[in-house]
Amino acid sequence: MSAAEGLSERLKEIDSQGLTRRRKMLSTPQGVSVILEGRPLLNFCSNDYLGLANHPRVVDALRRGASEFGVGSGASHLVCGHSLPHQELEEALAAFTHRDRALLFSTGYMANLGVIDALVGRAGTIFEDRLNHASLLDGARLSGAKLKRYPHGSVPLLSSGEGQLIVSDGVFSMDGDTADVMGLSAVALKAGALLMIDDAHGLGVLGETGAGLLESLALGQGEVPILMGTLGKAFGTFGAFVAGHKDLIDYLLQRARTAIYTTALPPALAVATMASLTLIQEEGWRREHLRGLIERLRQGATDLHLPLMASRSPIQPFLCGSPLVATALADQLLDRGFLVTAIRPPTVPRGTARLRVTLTAGHTHDQVDALLEALSDGFRALPSSLVEDPRP
Ligand SMILES: *Cc1c(COP(=O)(O)O)cnc(C)c1O
């Protein structure tokens, strides 16, 4: 069998399990109303939680940034790609998250790989929640350290020792629930271990000023020394950062390979991100409105006896169990004008395929009600051959 035939066999295997992934092509900007392959749809699967990805002030800032600083950054930060907008953004992000310093990375994936690899060597041990984001698990693999995965939402047992790092999503990306960061912090402090929280889905959304899960828990860099945040979700732009003690940031600048050996973000993106940071801080109504929508969806889903999972965040998954059920429901919703993604293994554990609904500040209560009605019809119309007890 040729190599290509081998791949074609593997593709058939993936397809027979209902696990083929397909990209959907939009011909509009990110937002609540989108056009997907010619069809107007209401979008319920974007991580643009505050509706900033196409905000006029953010778009204007990008334009202004490009006129002043051009498009490409030209080099890595350490060579000559670090410019004034990068510096200003790092300082603003540090102040926003109440940390000494912040360091930009090109993506959240790269930040997680680089930070974990830089901080823990082969002799170390990394403790990770079972449902952590793939990039956090890959960071542990890259470091060569021993990886211990603990049950979702719990706190691992540590004995004191060198080279230990606990890593967790703050808000879990596919479940929408939150880590017990207080518990993790207590255990880490007691064992002299480092703690890293990836707040990709909490930043902008949680906390009085939008500074995320850690702000809502009043945890500073003493309690959570490593905070990772992404800019492609609630910020509506692109990129990521790590914030913490000045020595942490200086060390990462020396040793995080994914920050050193890559081209710096376009400076105009830093200018755009500054504009969205201002909106995040000034327009608290976006968070308020989002909270109202989450309440509405949860109350409605409970009234309709839909299989809603336990989440207070804008990520509201509906458990389907089998990937075939999740895909069938997503297709039905599409027919009724709603864009919701079916999330299947290996992104989530086997038996827990789901529809991952996300709410954004751009949605209205009426749109949430319409989605609930379509979901309810969809779940009721499932052929009985597909319905099984969805709980694993
Ligand atoms: C999206 C996400 C990332 C990756 O961030 P990118 O900037 O998209 O690469 C990392 N961690 C979590 C929890 C995420 O949801």
Side-chain angles (χ1 to χ4, degrees):
M1 197 178 355
S2 73
E5 278 163 359
L7 292 181
S8 136
E9 284 305 308
R10 276 149 73 179
L11 283 169
K12 277 188 208 138
E13 170 78 19
I14 293 169
D15 205 45
S16 71
Q17 297 168 334
L19 296 180
T20 299
R21 302 168 187 264
R22 287 192 179 82
R23 298 181 298 181
K24 306 177 190 71
M25 196 184 65
L26 299 185
S27 52
T28 49
Q30 200 54 233
V32 169
S33 300
V34 294
I35 295 180
L36 182 135
E37 285 146 24
R39 292 157 75 179
L41 295 172
L42 277 181
N43 184 2
F44 277 100
C45 55
S46 171
N47 299 322
D48 178 24
Y49 300 123
L50 299 179
L52 299 181
N54 188 34
H55 191 288
R57 274 168 64 184
V58 180
V59 176
D60 270 353
L62 184 72
R63 225 179 252 126
R64 226 181 332 106
S67 322
E68 203 173 333
F69 294 92
V71 179
S73 67
S76 69
H77 284 274
L78 285 168
V79 174
C80 62
H82 186 67
S83 55
L84 180 67
H86 296 121
Q87 185 63 35
E88 287 177 346
L89 178 59
E90 286 182 346
E91 286 170 16
L93 289 169
F96 176 54
T97 56
H98 304 287
R99 263 95 184 137
D100 290 353
R101 301 253 310 269
L103 182 67
L104 286 172
F105 284 78
S106 295
T107 69
Y109 205 120
M110 287 172 67
N112 285 341
L113 291 186
V115 171
I116 297 172
D117 178 56
L119 292 175
V120 193
R122 302 188 65 81
T125 308
I126 299 169
F127 299 83
E128 297 212 19
D129 188 288
R130 282 216 148 273
L131 297 188
N132 270 359
H133 191 264
S135 56
L136 296 171
L137 297 166
D138 290 354
R141 290 214 300 224
L142 183 64
S143 75
K146 180 191 267 184
L147 171 61
K148 294 192 176 172
R149 296 174 74 180
Y150 57 85
H152 176 55
S154 72
V155 171
L157 277 172
L158 270 68
S159 41
S160 342
E162 294 285 288
Q164 299 187 101
L165 171 68
I166 305 177
V167 185
S168 179
D169 282 28
V171 174
F172 287 88
S173 52
M174 296 299 138
D175 291 59
D177 56 349
T178 49
D180 175 7
V181 185
M182 293 284 197
L184 293 175
S185 165
V187 164
L189 286 174
K190 187 142 171 271
L194 281 169
L195 172 62
M196 171 174 183
I197 296 294
D198 171 343
D199 204 20
H201 299 276
L203 273 172
V205 171
L206 300 174
E208 184 62 32
T209 68
L213 179 63
L214 303 185
E215 180 184 37
S216 75
L217 299 171
L219 295 173
Q221 69 185 28
E223 291 87 29
V224 180
I226 309 158
L227 165 61
M228 195 288 282
T230 64
L231 306 174
K233 285 160 185 158
F235 276 82
T237 60
F238 189 78
F241 68 96
V242 173
H245 193 278
K246 76 179 226 331
D247 290 347
L248 169 78
I249 301 305
D250 279 339
Y251 183 78
L252 291 176
L253 202 48
Q254 304 309 311
R255 287 287 181 268
R257 296 167 63 83
T258 59
I260 299 169
Y261 299 107
T262 198
T263 301
L265 276 181
L269 264 171
V271 178
T273 305
M274 277 294 256
S276 59
L277 178 57
T278 304
L279 288 164
I280 286 174
Q281 292 174 291
E282 285 178 357
E283 301 195 349
W285 65 263
R286 291 177 188 273
R287 278 182 289 286
E288 293 271 309
H289 178 57
L290 197 48
R291 271 195 291 276
L293 294 167
I294 295 167
E295 275 313 303
R296 180 101 177 181
L297 180 98
R298 293 197 63 83
Q299 188 56 54
T302 307
D303 294 346
L304 291 164
H305 307 290
L306 295 176
L308 194 58
M309 293 171 65
S311 156
R312 320 291 318 170
S313 74
I315 302 166
Q316 293 290 332
F318 290 81
L319 197 58
C320 301
S322 135
L324 296 169
V325 173
T327 328
L329 284 170
D331 287 346
Q332 282 185 33
L333 287 173
L334 209 56
D335 287 342
R336 294 191 44 174
F338 299 96
L339 180 58
V340 177
T341 342
I343 307 281
R344 297 162 290 170
T347 305
V348 292
R350 289 178 71 84
T352 70
R354 65 201 63 180
L355 289 174
R356 178 179 179 268
V357 169
T358 55
L359 298 170
T360 75
H363 287 119
T364 65
H365 284 220
D366 286 349
Q367 289 167 340
V368 168
D369 292 348
L371 172 71
L372 282 168
E373 193 183 312
L375 273 167
S376 173
D377 292 347
F379 272 101
R380 267 190 287 125
L382 281 177
S384 55
S385 62
L386 277 182
V387 186
E388 50 189 295
D389 181 3
R391 303 270 158 194

